Every structure is written in structure tokens, then in C-alpha cells.
Amino acid sequence: MKKLSSKIWLLIVLFLSATVLFMYIFTNFLYEQLYVEDTKSTMVEVGDKLQSIYKGGKVSDELIAQIEDYAAYSNFEIFAVRNPRELSACVPFDIDYDTLIGPDERRQLIAGREVIKIGYEPRFERQIISVILPFTDQNRLEGIIYLYYPLAKISELAKEEVILLITGAAMFLMVAAFFVYCGMRKILRPLSNLQQAVHQMASGDYGTRVEVTSKDEIGNLSAAFNQMANSIQKEDEAQKSFLATVSHELRTPISYVKGYSEAIQQGVIEKEKQGEAIQLIVRESARMERLTNELMQLARKEQAFNPSEMEPLILAETIRDVLTLLEQQARVKNIQFVQTLEEELIIMGFEEKMKQVFINTIENAIRYSNDGGSIYIESNEISKSASITIRDEGIGIPNEDLPYVTERFYRVNKARSRSDGGSGLGLSIVDQIIKQHNGSLTIQSELNIGTSVNITLPLMEE
């Protein structure tokens, strides 16, 4: 049973079957508790009234006649006899006296209590209820009143209504089945649409969406599917764009290397100019190597990140190590580093990754700063977090470009050459590493005034 609709139908059938079984048990309960008990109590009440006529002594013929007269107008069959064995001549069925009034029943009658029996009588093909009440005088059984009544069957009690009941039940089941069918179609239609959408997604159609028609669990599931589809589509588009951009980025240096290598091999370039060509090949090879390394760093984003492997890092020392590495690069443009570092700041992190964050950020500051300018590096504690600010006096970033500078291969100046504009991956790597360390990155900039990069990282807990 694979279909959900089949399971629901089975549940409904089980529910209806349980209902029918309950009604059957309940009907029998009503039959026993209401009809049978009511008949029994009525017979005892009639017998008590007739018994009260007896004043003691021998049972007279007048008393017997009086009871027979009453019986003519009663719903019950009533007989009064002096000797219980005389009952066999009064009733239209066989009576076993010893079974009817045994020793226990006789003691009960002499004590003045009634005897009630219910048994099946083949002559009537039904149950017979009988009530025996005694005529006693000075602990002697002078006679009995015998009442009996054939109990009606359940089918006989409702023989006039049974056809109507069956017809009504059949019509109810048909109407219920129709509404259940319509309701199930309405409920299961979104699931069917969702199933088709999943198959379309699996075949590569990431633009598939489903209509959200309700606010229940199925509606929430449909909304979650649409949200998932949006994420998958964006990721697919980003992957295609990434591959296209990587191909574009590598095509130019490969063309340079291939073209100049073939030219040198074929002797097209004069010997005195071959050194310049080889220098260009080396530069483009270095750029391809840098781009490949940066792509590998981005690819590690999908690898498992284990925070337990982090180690305590003294932030000031890490920043100074980076400034030492970049000192020669800054000297070429006559740029000075102005440091204001708080020595006690310690974070938990990966040293190489944190150095990569500061290298990429400060390299950007050097690359886009004017000659003879300054770069300010400050660190301090704010709300149990380390705040690092790297501020330059460079060309700045337009406001419309700020939200996108951490995207892969994004360049503010599209016309800027790759030799002085970088690969467009530096800030994307910075943003990735900071997020891995549960930190945040904020960039503020004004054109021709400079850019300020603020990095916030959680301090090591004591």
C-alpha cells in the first residue's frame, strides 16, 4: 500500500467498521438493559399487586378467577395455581417442574421472594421471561402466581423501521463517501502537485514552484519546498556563473602563456625581447597560481569545520606578523602603517586562516590607496568581542557596490585591469573565514576619502 489515499481510505473503513461494531454492542446493551429489564420490573410489579389480594389460608377459587379476569386484559400471561405442578396444564409449552421450582427456588418462595427465570423456548423460537410469586401462610406454600412473556427479538422491535434504517444508512454511506472523496482530493492535490514538482526538480528544472493554497502543515510544506527550490536555483545559477567566471579569468593568462611560449619556440620574438616575454609568462603564471590557490580556499568551505581544533591567538601578534609580511609591498607605494593595538585581546581561531583575513584586507587597502598615504590598524574590546578596524585613505567604493564586494569575482571598477585589480576573490575568502569563526564583517566607504573595514570576533572565554 504505497498511496497515501489508500491508507486514508483504509483508515476510514476501519473507523466505520469500528462504529458498526460499537453500534451492534450498544444496541444489544440497550436491549438487555432497557427492554428486558423494563419487562422484568413490570412483571414483578403486576405480580406484587396480584399477590397483595391474597389474605392467607387456602387459595380460593374466587382468587384464582379474579386473577384470571385480570390476565384477560394484561399483556402478560398470568396463572394462579394451588399446586405448581398444575402449570403444565395451563401453559402451551412443556414445563419441567423440578427445573422450574427446585429446592433453592422453593426456599426462596417460602421466604416470600419472587423467582425470575429467562430461557429459550423452541415453541416460540425466542426467549421467555417468567416470574413466580408465592402465596404463603405461616411458612407454608399455599400456591403461586405464574407470569410469563415471550421476549421480542431485536429485529422484531424495529421491524417497521429496519428498511428505513438500512436505506438511510446506505444513503448516508454514499453521501459520506462522496464528501470524503472530494475532501481527500482537495487535501491530497497539493501533495500530488508537490510530488510532480519534486520529480521536475530531480530532472534539473530548478525553476519549478508549487502554489501555496493553505496555512496548514501541507501549506507549510509547500512554502518550505518553494524556499528550498529558490535556494537550489540560486546555488545552481551561482555555480554556473562561478564556472563561467573562472573560465574567463583563466583564459587570458593561459592565452598569454601559450602565445608567448609558442612565439619564443618558433623564433618569432627577437632574442633581445625574449626576456620581456619570459617575464610576462612568469607574471601570468604567478597570477594563475594565486587564482588557483584562492579557488582552493573557497572550495574548503564545504569541508568539515571542527571548532575543537582552534587555538588561542594573541590578536596583536598575529596582526604584526601580517604587517611584517606586507611591509615591502607598502614601501613600494610609500605607505605607512599606523598601529593602535590592544595587547590583551585573545581569540580562538586558526592562525593561518586569520592571517589570510588580515593579508587580504590590508593588501586591498595598499592596492587602492594613493602613494604616500597611511593605513590605520586599530583593535579594542567591545562587548566581550574583539573589534579590528583597517582604514585607508584610498579611492573608496561607491555605495551601490558595497553590498556586493564580498561576492566571488566582483570588481567595483569593471574596466580595471587584472594586474592591478586582483582576482575578485579576496573579500569573499575574508567573509567566509570570519563566518567560520562566528564573527562579522562590516565595510564602510566614501569615494575619494577612503574605506574602513571592521572585523568583529568573539574573545576567548576565560
Side-chain angles (χ1 to χ4, degrees), residues 381-395:
E381 180 180 350
I382 299 177
S383 301
K384 296 183 180 181
S385 296
S387 176
I388 306 99
T389 302
I390 300 169
R391 180 169 56 86
D392 62 53
E393 299 173 340
I395 61 176

Side-chain angles (χ1 to χ4, degrees), residues 257-270:
V257 171
K258 180 175 181 295
Y260 279 99
S261 298
E262 290 177 349
I264 293 174
Q265 185 181 31
Q266 296 171 7
V268 176
I269 299 177
E270 299 175 359

Side-chain angles (χ1 to χ4, degrees), residues 280-293:
L280 188 145
I281 291 173
V282 171
R283 186 185 69 195
E284 293 300 318
S285 298
R287 191 159 71 85
M288 283 191 293
E289 181 183 17
R290 185 174 69 252
L291 179 61
T292 303
N293 291 336

Side-chain angles (χ1 to χ4, degrees), residues 192-212:
S192 177
N193 295 338
L194 194 59
Q195 182 183 24
Q196 295 178 4
V198 168
H199 288 313
Q200 292 175 354
M201 286 278 292
S203 62
D205 184 7
Y206 300 129
T208 302
R209 299 293 183 273
V210 294
E211 182 182 0
V212 180

Side-chain angles (χ1 to χ4, degrees), residues 228-244:
M228 179 193 70
N230 285 331
S231 300
I232 294 176
Q233 186 177 25
K234 289 180 180 178
E235 187 66 25
D236 180 65
E237 292 173 353
Q239 184 178 11
K240 291 178 181 178
S241 175
F242 177 75
L243 292 175

